């Protein structure tokens, strides 16, 4: 689980650069009914996205979507990064 969290800082910086960190945090908090589906879509799209994104990052993102505690923790992390 901690290995997946290694990507959080980079993801938060990218979202903040695009001005999407608050939107992403709200989406993560409210997406519980669709989170497993999102994780499965990411897993199934690995062969297509693998040319642009590493398998490890895609696995970490899929895990984030499928694990409720991690999803909420990352949303909190995004909000904390926004205030610093």
């Amino acid at each position: 689980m901690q290995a997946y969290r290694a990507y959080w800082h980079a993801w938060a910086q990218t979202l903040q650069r695009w001005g999407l960190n608050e939107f992403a945090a709200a989406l993560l908090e409210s997406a519980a009914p669709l989170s497993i589906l999102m994780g499965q879509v990411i897993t199934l799209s690995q062969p297509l996205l693998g040319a642009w994104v590493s398998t490890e990052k895609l696995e970490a993102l899929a895990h984030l979507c499928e694990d409720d505690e991690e999803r909420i923790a990352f949303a909190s992390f995004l909000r904390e990064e926004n205030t610093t």
Side-chain angles (χ1 to χ4, degrees):
M1 178 178 4
Q2 288 294 356
Y4 293 136
R5 288 187 177 200
Y7 301 109
W8 285 16
H9 187 68
W11 292 346
Q13 285 181 327
T14 301
L15 289 168
Q16 189 168 16
R17 194 172 331 123
W18 292 344
L20 296 173
N21 51 340
E22 188 61 38
F23 174 76
L27 182 65
L28 287 167
E29 289 173 341
S30 63
L34 298 175
S35 61
I36 297 213
L37 179 62
M38 289 188 307
Q40 291 302 308
V41 167
I42 292 167
T43 300
L44 291 172
S45 65
Q46 280 184 354
L48 298 172
L49 298 175
W52 298 284
V53 181
S54 72
T55 302
E56 294 83 16
K57 287 182 182 177
L58 289 172
E59 287 175 2
L61 185 57
H63 173 77
L64 177 72
C65 290
E66 293 174 344
D67 187 325
D68 289 339
E69 291 178 10
E70 287 292 291
R71 193 171 33 77
I72 299 301
F74 183 60
S76 296
F77 180 80
L78 283 175
R79 289 208 165 97
E80 290 172 13
E81 287 287 307
N82 193 30
T83 60
T84 59

